[in-house]
Amino acid sequence: MTPEASADAVRQAVHGRVFVVTVDNPPVNALGAQVRSQLRAAIEAADTHPEVDAVLLLGAGRNFIGGADIREFGKPPVPPSLPEVCNYIEASAKPVVAAIHGVALGGGLEVALAAHYRIASSDAKLGLPEVTLGLLPGAGGTQRAPRLIGAKAALDLMLSGRQIGAKEARALGLIDEIATTDDALAEGLAYTQGLLAARAPARRTRDAQGLADRTASRTAIEAARTEVSKSTRHLFSPMKIVDAVQAALEMPFDDGLCHERQLFLQCLDSPQRAGLVHAFFAEREARKAPETRKAKPRAIRSVGVIGGGTMGAGIAVALLDAGLPVAMIERDDASLLRGEALVEKVYDRLIAGGRMSLQEKADILARLHGSTSYDALDKADLVIEAVFEDMAVKKAVFAELDRVCKPGAVLATNTSYLDIDAIAASISRPADVVGLHFFSPANVMKLLEVVVPAQSSADVIATAFDLAKKLRKVPVRAGVCDGFIGNRVLAIYRAAADHMMEDGASPYQIDRAVRDFGFPMGPFQVSDLAGGDIGWATRKRRAATRDPKLRYVQIADRICERGWFGQKTGRGFYLYTDGGRTGKPDPEVEAIIDAERKRAEITPRTFTDDEIMRRYMAAMINEAANVVHEGIALRPLDVDVTFVHGYGFPRHRGGPMKYADTVGLASVLADIREFAQEDPLFWKPSTLIVDLVERGATLASLNQSA
Ligand code: 3HC
Ligand code: NAI
């Protein structure tokens, strides 16, 4: 082995007759400008090297290559472009082998596709996730992948953005070999030497015949087109992916590449790309709460959950799925049985869907220990309380925890609204208390609000973030207030929707406008799904403290008074016939709304969908700005992550704060001031927005400075 040269981001070395090119650009070997130019230079060096017969491409560290450098998108392009580099690799006269370990994603997989042969370690992950960033594979992926594995499989990879394992990649023909160890250098060298011994030629993917069956390819493209127009109608890039594959079928390779480039640039320019890239970086930034830099997490080896209701059972499943042993505490045997049954039901559904075996379920449930005695928690490193939303009940539970838990145990509450500082202050160890606000269903929803009480110690917060990682949740740091980040803002835009309903818009129109904006459901559908009784109970609880001058719409109360709580009662804002989950508009609800308008002496007016969304978003943005201003959210990006992962906010718009910058804060402020003319108490412009508009600044500027 003679190392010949060393460069910053791409290393060159000669091993026998093989020229080894190693991309070494931590943390994920992204293909930034320096890597591209050095990669190109390395291939050139290999091609002209008199003593080597083949080239081996590797990634240093944990991965092959994580893709193009996402931070470069939206900035002026720096040559050489990635497609050029890929073409250069493919054109090499000497066989080029990519030896993949860790991930080969996006541009990383495109580099591998431009190589002539591919070997991957058994735990490697391959994928073309560009669609998740509002893009398409723009370095030949849309032309090479279909030629290699056929239009149907390539479209599936590119439209889903999913990562596949080596076994599936081998079965599809995306790779040639699976390595027995994850030593990419040793495995790659052995494989390359084998190819040389067999006199394997440079084999170019552009010549592969995966599209030879033109009828099958056309059918796959048409099927994808139909599917995209139904299921991802809000998104820009999926249809461009289909167009690019059509070009692969219809055009010579080089023309197809040019077409791909044009489509890629259109995606790159789209606001959706900006929104999706914002979401990508925002969720990574949100993980870096200040406490995670200051303190090390405490070890979590066993967990307790108090309450086996909707949330407690879901949280228990999330913990079990992360491999942790869980003690579930309920107030009596019947409730415990119900809680355990709720947990089992989740796994039974997986079994019914063929996604879990009976043995796997038994193995998981062996880690669940139910009890009606708090003493079962004496060894728990962390306890999460999910009992009724009632301060007295919560305090009683925490008093028990204070009594039985070992010193250093983290004591968490899943409360939605209650004052966690008050809970913490009620026990002898307030520094160990934290809010862990899961979302329903807790084993599915990605968001975890980590609510930080005043006296909490930094390592408790670091532990909460560490737990989120173990549970594969997306954590967001929130301060203590009524509703934290998400529910506090929700209360305001939900009220704006109620105001519009009373003023003349039907709940069905509002829901439709909200769906057309990109939310999976409108606010009234959400209420029917969650159960109208939950909001009703909260409203009744707050009735005594509500500002009597604030507008209060009673329509939901009238509906609840009839026992219409939504899907679970077959009736809410919508009518659900035959136990179905898709509601129909209900003329009786419309009659209730009419009667309420009369009672409130309101003459109904019409709303355009555009006005509905302007009001809905202005209410959301204004309260979110208050939340940032008060430090409840550290930065605007924390609000964005909260809404994308917990409230169905369309990811391609980045989140409410990113959206506000996209439409322009000045225009949002103008809307708020216009709406304030009718209801100045509800529409009070946030100081933060006023200040930013005066300075000509954006919310994004606060992300950078935080
Ligand atoms: N470009 C720039 N930075 C990247 C990056 C990329 N492609 N991928 C990850 N990073 C950064 C992250 O922002 C993070 O930075 P930070 O430490 O400052 O927060 C750091 O690398 C580590 O990332 P993760 O925390 O996500 O690390 P993991 O080990 O959990 O995951 C990964 C690694 C699977 C590679 C994951 O980061 C990932 O999915 N990355 C994006 C992959 C992707 O979408 N690639 C396609 C890019 S588009 C493209 O290639 C276009 C082409 O077709 C032309
Ligand atoms: P739930 O009513 O379904 O379950 C509460 C469970 O706690 C019941 O099974 C009850 O038997 C048990 N319980 C009550 N007192 C107890 C005690 N002293 N010791 C042990 N167990 C006791 O309620 P849900 O919906 O699960 O809510 C629980 C908590 O989670 C509440 O604080 C709620 O605000 C919060 N939350 C609820 C969400 C939701 O969508 N349902 C979302 C996020 C948070």
Side-chain angles (χ1 to χ4, degrees):
M1 177 170 81
T2 15
E4 285 220 338
S6 83
D8 282 342
V10 177
R11 294 199 306 266
Q12 304 176 12
V14 173
H15 291 247
R17 302 199 67 80
V18 182
F19 195 97
V20 178
V21 177
T22 307
V23 179
D24 188 0
N25 184 30
V28 300
N29 298 332
L31 295 155
Q34 195 196 12
V35 174
R36 294 196 302 273
S37 70
Q38 292 183 2
L39 192 51
R40 193 194 146 121
I43 300 294
E44 199 170 0
D47 252 356
T48 52
H49 197 297
E51 278 153 31
V52 299
D53 299 321
V55 186
L56 175 62
L57 291 179
L58 301 171
R62 284 169 45 214
N63 298 304
F64 179 66
I65 298 172
D69 188 338
I70 301 172
R71 289 178 206 274
E72 286 182 356
F73 297 150
K75 297 190 182 143
V78 179
S81 71
L82 191 57
E84 265 179 65
V85 176
C86 287
N87 290 344
Y88 205 78
I89 293 171
E90 187 170 64
S92 169
K94 298 172 184 173
V96 182
V97 175
I100 298 168
H101 76 296
V103 302
L105 297 177
L109 182 55
E110 289 174 294
V111 165
L113 294 180
H116 304 148
Y117 299 91
R118 286 156 290 278
I119 178 169
S121 62
S122 56
D123 56 358
K125 295 274 179 224
L126 297 85
L128 292 167
E130 285 86 347
V131 72
T132 63
L133 298 170
L135 293 168
L136 51 80
T142 66
Q143 307 301 297
R144 289 194 179 92
R147 281 178 165 81
L148 201 57
I149 62 174
K152 188 166 187 276
L155 279 162
D156 166 54
L157 270 190
M158 293 188 278
L159 291 172
S160 68
R162 73 191 172 96
Q163 297 180 10
I164 61 172
K167 224 165 144 189
E168 187 177 354
R170 172 79 186 78
L172 288 175
L174 202 61
I175 58 168
D176 303 291
E177 280 293 333
I178 300 180
T180 36
T181 72
D182 62 0
D183 183 344
L185 175 63
E187 295 281 353
L189 279 175
Y191 179 59
T192 309
Q193 276 147 6
L195 288 171
L196 285 177
R199 298 187 178 281
R203 183 195 60 175
R204 300 188 171 84
T205 308
R206 60 159 62 205
D207 301 324
Q209 291 303 305
L211 293 172
D213 184 343
R214 299 184 69 78
T215 312
S217 303
R218 245 181 237 117
T219 308
I221 292 169
E222 278 328 302
R225 208 176 275 293
T226 310
E227 182 56 29
V228 164
S229 59
K230 274 193 290 185
S231 61
T232 46
R233 67 193 172 100
H234 293 297
L235 299 179
F236 182 74
S237 79
M239 203 53 104
K240 302 292 167 194
I241 289 173
V242 181
D243 290 346
V245 174
Q246 179 122 34
L249 181 67
E250 287 171 1
M251 293 178 181
F253 183 77
D254 290 318
D255 294 350
L257 275 186
C258 290
H259 196 69
E260 176 196 84
R261 188 72 189 155
Q262 283 161 14
L263 296 170
F264 179 78
L265 292 176
Q266 288 175 24
C267 293
L268 201 59
D269 280 346
S270 78
Q272 293 197 356
R273 190 275 305 158
L276 288 163
V277 167
H278 170 78
F280 176 86
F281 286 120
E283 58 211 20
R284 280 163 182 75
E285 278 310 306
R287 288 182 206 152
K288 300 172 194 162
E291 292 85 354
T292 62
R293 296 199 192 105
K294 273 193 245 157
K296 283 208 163 22
R298 298 181 188 173
I300 300 297
R301 294 192 197 87
S302 75
V303 185
V305 175
I306 322 281
T310 309
M311 293 308 290
I315 294 168
V317 171
L319 295 164
L320 290 168
D321 287 349
L324 288 159
V326 178
M328 177 188 276
I329 309 294
E330 261 289 356
R331 49 188 172 148
D332 51 47
D333 288 335
S335 308
L336 183 59
L337 275 178
R338 217 173 37 234
E340 288 171 334
L342 280 177
V343 171
E344 254 193 84
K345 210 165 123 191
V346 173
Y347 295 113
D348 286 341
R349 242 183 255 135
L350 292 180
I351 291 172
R355 282 174 292 154
M356 180 171 276
S357 68
L358 281 168
Q359 187 56 48
E360 282 165 328
K361 174 186 158 188
D363 291 346
I364 292 174
L365 290 184
R367 284 187 276 111
L368 178 68
H369 308 283
S371 177
T372 52
S373 163
Y374 280 82
D375 294 333
L377 296 174
D378 60 346
K379 296 199 177 58
D381 299 305
L382 163 77
V383 180
I384 305 172
E385 164 281 307
V387 302
F388 300 135
E389 185 75 344
D390 181 302
M391 185 54 103
V393 179
K394 302 257 191 219
K395 280 188 176 167
V397 167
F398 269 77
E400 284 297 288
L401 296 182
D402 202 5
R403 182 179 66 79
V404 299
C405 288
K406 64 182 184 188
V410 174
L411 308 180
T413 170
N414 181 50
T415 178
S416 308
Y417 295 96
L418 299 177
D419 181 353
I420 304 179
D421 282 324
I423 296 175
S426 72
I427 61 168
S428 72
R429 33 174 141 172
D432 292 333
V433 176
V434 64
L436 286 179
H437 186 215
F438 288 82
F439 289 71
S440 179
N443 55 316
V444 176
M445 292 292 285
K446 286 280 167 225
L447 181 64
L448 180 63
E449 271 183 304
V450 175
V451 190
V452 180
Q455 297 190 60
S456 192
S457 80
D459 65 342
V460 166
I461 307 310
T463 309
F465 277 83
D466 190 51
L467 178 77
K469 192 171 171 191
K470 288 201 177 87
L471 304 189
R472 295 168 183 265
K473 299 280 180 206
V474 179
V476 173
R477 187 191 190 282
V480 176
C481 71
D482 193 352
F484 320 127
I485 299 177
N487 282 349
R488 169 163 161 187
V489 176
L490 164 70
I492 302 299
Y493 66 83
R494 181 53 222 257
D498 284 343
H499 296 173
M500 289 189 272
M501 171 166 65
E502 198 174 52
D503 286 339
S506 85
Y508 315 118
Q509 186 195 358
I510 296 170
D511 278 350
R512 196 193 59 226
V514 170
R515 281 198 308 273
D516 285 348
F517 182 85
F519 282 87
M521 280 190 257
F524 301 101
Q525 286 173 294
V526 172
S527 160
D528 275 5
L529 177 67
D533 49 331
I534 293 183
W536 194 31
T538 312
R539 291 195 298 278
K540 283 193 277 198
R541 200 167 51 232
R542 293 184 177 163
T545 52
R546 189 180 302 126
D547 179 353
K549 293 198 285 299
L550 255 185
R551 179 170 179 188
Y552 180 75
V553 175
Q554 300 181 26
I555 296 169
D557 296 346
R558 293 296 92 78
I559 291 173
C560 287
E561 282 157 13
R562 287 167 170 75
W564 300 352
F565 296 148
Q567 289 190 13
K568 62 184 170 191
T569 57
R571 233 174 157 162
F573 283 97
Y574 292 80
L575 198 56
Y576 302 86
T577 42
D578 308 326
R581 285 171 164 245
T582 323
K584 287 202 272 299
D586 185 345
E588 284 187 55
V589 166
E590 287 176 311
I592 294 170
I593 296 170
D594 267 343
E596 278 301 301
R597 287 173 185 152
K598 287 200 183 83
R599 188 194 53 74
E601 298 177 1
I602 287 168
T603 312
R605 69 174 179 92
T606 56
F607 284 78
T608 62
D609 289 0
D610 178 60
E611 183 183 356
I612 288 173
M613 284 321 296
R614 271 172 50 218
R615 285 176 178 268
Y616 198 71
M617 288 311 304
M620 191 184 300
I621 292 164
N622 200 46
E623 189 63 6
N626 288 334
V627 157
V628 174
H629 190 55
E630 291 170 24
I632 298 298
L634 286 181
R635 300 149 297 192
L637 68 81
D638 295 284
V639 175
D640 285 340
V641 175
T642 302
F643 276 84
V644 167
H645 289 284
Y647 295 81
F649 192 95
R651 185 177 174 89
H652 64 269
R653 295 186 190 272
M657 305 278 81
K658 172 71 181 168
Y659 176 76
D661 277 346
T662 308
V663 295
L665 266 187
S667 118
V668 175
L669 180 59
D671 277 348
I672 294 168
R673 287 188 168 141
E674 179 194 324
F675 307 147
Q677 287 171 10
E678 300 154 17
D679 186 351
L681 204 57
F682 181 76
W683 293 102
K684 281 193 218 137
S686 163
T687 315
L688 181 68
I689 296 183
V690 174
D691 176 53
L692 288 171
V693 170
E694 272 170 14
R695 293 195 282 122
T698 57
L699 285 158
S701 65
L702 304 176
N703 290 333
Q704 281 136 28
S705 62

